[in-house]
Structure formats: structure tokens, C-alpha cells
Amino acid sequence: AQSVAQPEDQVNVAEGNPLTVKCTYSVSGNPYLFWYVQYPNRGLQFLLKYITGDNLVKGSYGFEAEFNKSQTSFHLKKPSALVSDSALYFCAVRDIDDYKLSFGAGTTVTVRA
Amino acid sequence: DTEVTQTPKHLVMGMTNKKSLKCEQHMGHRAMYWYKQKAKKPPELMFVYSYEKLSINESVPSRFSPECPNSSLLNLHLHALQPEDSALYLCASSQGGIGNQPQHFGDGTRLSIL
């Protein structure tokens, strides 16, 4: 079985400040990890993925995520947040032997000007 | 712009109507998915097609009927829906059989059942 936890329903930051969105996962084997963002009235947009290799993954729009196997975490980060980063963010995991993508509950990010 | 196109963007239907949702992708992806999403919740998987064959049905009620006419198209036929079926219906695609490839989502069809 696989699962994802996003412990924060909401994250509020000021523009220009660092942004972190937390994600922890549970899988029986090796994980494939993904971050998606959803803007109002849009579908999910792929930001980045971790498959193997470097623990620091760089993605779209200046986002990056750090894979930590010992803490089973995959936190999303952006050094300097923009108002336009305000959206709903989903972490997702797929076990290497599973077809299904399991999503976290989502974190709403609000960046204030 | 999304590479997965869904039509219509909005649909209002009565409980006795029959309608269809359409999804198209031209990325050569061989896996296609239907999801249901309620407001501010994660998407819930409904169906998975792999190489035009239905691989997964997540115990979806028979009032939802998927169809994959070819590798680029995915339909979802709707009949006798209930008010609780009102939601955003998302289509996604990915390179079939390769679990480490991301799913690409369309912008969805917002369905309202009267």
C-alpha cells in the first residue's frame, strides 16, 4: 500500500520569502514522487518528479524538491515566492510496482503582496 | 496551454439525460485516465486505459461508461447521473507502461447535475 501526507492544509507567505510545502510518503518499495499545482478552474500541472539519482530535484517555475529517504519526505521549495504561486499543491506517489498514483490531500498556498 | 484537451468545459444535465465527455491527446501517450475531483480535494481515479484496453475500473457505478476509440481519444459516457456526481472530471495521459513518467492533465469538464 502507498500513501501520501501533506500535513498543512494552508501555507501563507509574503512575496519574496521562501516557500516550503511539506510532503511525507509511505510505500512498500522504491517510490516515484511527483508534485503538481492546480490553479483555479484548471487541471493539474506537473511541476517535478523524483525517480532516482540526485536528492535535489529542480522543476518548473523555479520550484525544487528535496527527497529524503530516511525521513520519507519530499518537500517542495521555492526560494522567493511570487503572488502568482498562490494555488493548490498536490504531492503524489507511485510505488514502482503499482499502477495507481496516490495524491495527498493538497495544500493551499497563499502568497500575499 | 495544456496538451490534453477536454470538451466541453462546462456541462449541465438533468438526471435522465445522456451526455458524453471527450478527451484528446496527441503526445503519443498510450495510457489514459479519468479522474473525478471535488472542490479543493485530490483527484479520485475512476478508469485507466492502457494501449486502448480498459485496465482498471475503480468500482465506478455503471452510470459512467468509458470508451477509448483509438490511442488519442478517450470518452466518458454519462447516463442517469445523481446530484452527487457533480464535480470536475479530469482526463490525463502518460507514456503507457512506464510508471515513472508523469501524468499530464487536461483542464477538465465541470459537470453539474440538476
Side-chain angles (χ1 to χ4, degrees):
Chain A
Q2 59 192 31
S3 65
V4 177
Q6 293 181 241
E8 299 160 318
D9 291 336
Q10 281 211 309
V11 170
N12 299 308
V13 297
E15 188 172 34
N17 282 1
L19 170 63
T20 298
V21 187
K22 296 179 181 177
C23 170
T24 58
Y25 66 90
S26 174
V27 295
S28 56
N30 291 322
Y32 296 142
L33 293 157
F34 305 86
W35 274 102
Y36 287 87
V37 60
Q38 187 173 30
Y39 297 99
N41 302 312
R42 300 295 303 273
L44 277 67
Q45 294 180 32
F46 167 70
L47 282 177
L48 50 79
K49 67 178 181 182
Y50 173 82
I51 304 303
T52 186
D54 288 340
N55 290 341
L56 185 63
V57 179
K58 293 191 183 297
S60 306
Y61 312 121
F63 284 94
E64 58 188 28
E66 187 166 11
F67 172 68
N68 187 317
K69 188 172 183 178
S70 62
Q71 297 185 3
T72 61
S73 67
F74 190 56
H75 301 330
L76 181 70
K77 300 181 180 183
K78 187 170 185 180
S80 179
L82 301 172
V83 171
S84 57
D85 293 328
S86 299
L88 180 58
Y89 290 78
F90 290 105
C91 181
V93 67
R94 172 184 277 156
D95 194 308
I96 192 170
D97 293 323
D98 203 333
Y99 67 90
K100 190 173 178 178
L101 193 60
S102 294
F103 289 91
T107 299
T108 298
V109 171
T110 302
V111 182
R112 60 185 184 278
Chain B
D1 288 338
T2 182
E3 296 171 329
V4 176
T5 303
Q6 291 188 243
T7 55
K9 292 190 185 304
H10 302 275
L11 180 61
V12 179
M13 57 187 288
M15 289 190 283
T16 58
N17 291 156
K18 287 185 180 181
K19 295 286 185 182
S20 297
L21 309 185
K22 296 185 186 302
C23 174
E24 189 169 2
Q25 58 88 14
H26 294 288
M27 295 179 284
H29 291 172
R30 302 310 297 271
M32 296 186 77
Y33 311 77
W34 280 116
Y35 287 88
K36 174 184 178 181
Q37 186 183 26
K38 292 284 198 178
K40 298 193 182 298
K41 299 292 186 184
E44 300 170 24
L45 183 65
M46 300 174 71
F47 302 103
V48 180
Y49 273 84
S50 179
Y51 294 88
E52 294 107 71
K53 287 185 172 23
L54 182 63
S55 298
I56 302 296
N57 176 340
E58 291 282 299
S59 303
V60 179
S62 60
R63 58 185 184 269
F64 294 92
S65 176
E67 179 195 20
C68 189
N70 60 55
S71 60
S72 299
L73 293 174
L74 187 65
N75 297 322
L76 186 63
H77 303 297
L78 314 173
H79 174 54
L81 295 194
Q82 303 298 307
E84 61 265 27
D85 296 323
S86 297
L88 180 68
Y89 287 84
L90 293 167
C91 173
S93 70
S94 68
Q95 292 185 14
I98 304 174
N100 63 5
Q101 295 304 313
Q103 293 179 20
H104 295 259
F105 287 80
D107 282 337
T109 294
R110 190 164 300 282
L111 178 65
S112 297
I113 307 300
L114 301 179

